[in-house]
Amino acid sequence: MASSLVLSYPFSCLPERKRLSLNNPIKPLWVTSIPSLRRPTKFLPSRSCKILTRASIKDADTSSSGSSSVSDDAIVGEDSAAFELGKQKISSWIYFSVILGVVLYVLDFAWIDNSTGFGKLFIDAVSTLSDSHEVVMLVLILIFAAVHSGLASLRELGEEFIGERAYRVLFAGVSLPLAVSTVVYFINHRYDGVQLWQLQSAPPLHQLLWISNFISFFFLYPSTFNLLEVAAVDKPKLHLWETGIMRITRHPQMVGQVIWCLAHTIWIGNSVAVAASFGLIGHHLFGVWNGDRRLAKRYGEAFEVVKRRTSIVPFAAILDGRQKLPKDYYKEFLRLPYFIITALTLGVYFAHPLMQAASSRLHW
């Protein structure tokens, strides 16, 4: 659950609100214009932007059936999970380490520590609404969802007033404590509900659900590969990804959340797990609509091109021919961020006993 609640790359192939600098010695491969809410803006790809072809948005004409005529390797969005070690600055990672340390200290002092923080008071206040752990679980998820999605929807307006970095700090500062509270409550009360089924003794079930949970993490983190941007060391952006896992589904976080919820609900088999899964899946289904709406508002026709050749349901666009996988598609996953996700996923699995012990000591 932490993966889904504790919720974007340093380069952009698409236009930002401000005109990009043209003082780039590298000649652009293509120039185009994209409709904007304010005014059309011509742009050139920056030096760090990976353009796979000379395609423009105008090449993305569709037939009456709605299929795209763009060549198989054409791209108008961004190349996801790209990572170039030579472009990393040591100073940026030093800033990241300092910021991470400060955030964790403040989170512990102001929210987690029962003697100084407000986390227990928050849980106690929500718990007064009902004696049912299922109801409290749903209310906690609803509060988190309202705040998280609400702040995401207000991102453009908020960035106008206080800037991208400051708004990212505000977004994380409000969302993170609520996420921690919801995760801790789920861990502490996951076995308190009504037992609906008991399948843990089935020999192959644990292995099957473990693999499903492992796969879910590759869907859950498509937009947080750049930790520097997450921590606002790099300027945060609303990205339009088009490669990697986006070829499989345009909303990988929703798919990953569904896989995670199904695996944990089947394993635990009680009413608290069902309530948690119902709330989380509902939140992410809303995120599908809200995410598409925000991208359409920001990127206009460019998003419509990506939308036509991707799908919400995994593999649907591939099966009906709208998405053409390149011959070397596997290389889009052989990148450092995916290896880091693999290591972190294994680490979280083996750290389950530590997470459970730490949560139980909070008495939330």
Side-chain angles (χ1 to χ4, degrees), residues 191-358:
Y191 292 124
D192 290 344
V194 178
Q195 196 67 39
L196 303 175
W197 58 80
Q198 185 73 46
L199 302 175
Q200 296 181 2
S201 60
L205 186 64
H206 181 270
Q207 290 79 1
L208 177 62
L209 297 182
W210 188 93
I211 293 173
S212 299
N213 187 69
F214 182 84
I215 293 174
S216 74
F217 277 77
F218 287 92
F219 287 88
L220 280 166
Y221 286 111
S223 61
T224 54
F225 287 131
N226 184 9
L227 296 178
L228 297 180
E229 192 171 328
V230 173
V233 176
D234 289 345
K235 184 180 293 186
K237 299 168 185 163
L238 180 62
H239 294 280
L240 181 63
W241 305 121
E242 194 177 356
T243 63
I245 207 161
M246 295 296 175
R247 298 184 188 272
I248 297 175
T249 171
R250 191 169 68 254
H251 289 281
Q253 192 171 60
M254 179 275 293
V255 174
Q257 186 65 79
V258 170
I259 296 174
W260 187 97
C261 285
L262 290 177
H264 282 75
T265 301
I266 291 172
W267 181 253
I268 297 174
N270 67 13
S271 54
V272 170
V274 171
S277 294
F278 178 82
L280 287 172
I281 292 175
H283 169 47
H284 282 76
L285 289 177
F286 170 80
V288 169
W289 171 82
N290 197 35
D292 279 356
R293 180 189 64 82
R294 294 167 60 214
L295 287 171
K297 184 178 180 180
R298 174 68 65 91
Y299 290 109
E301 180 61 23
F303 170 71
E304 296 303 323
V305 172
V306 174
K307 182 178 179 179
R308 286 193 291 265
R309 57 192 184 193
T310 56
S311 61
I312 297 174
V313 178
F315 301 103
I318 298 174
L319 293 176
D320 64 22
R322 290 183 289 119
Q323 175 63 235
K324 302 293 185 181
L325 298 180
K327 294 180 180 179
D328 57 351
Y329 175 57
Y330 68 94
K331 292 182 180 179
E332 295 182 1
F333 291 91
L334 298 181
R335 291 169 168 174
L336 182 60
Y338 282 107
F339 291 109
I340 294 176
I341 288 176
T342 301
L344 290 177
T345 302
L346 293 173
V348 169
Y349 173 76
F350 290 111
H352 265 60
L354 298 177
M355 295 167 59
Q356 295 166 4

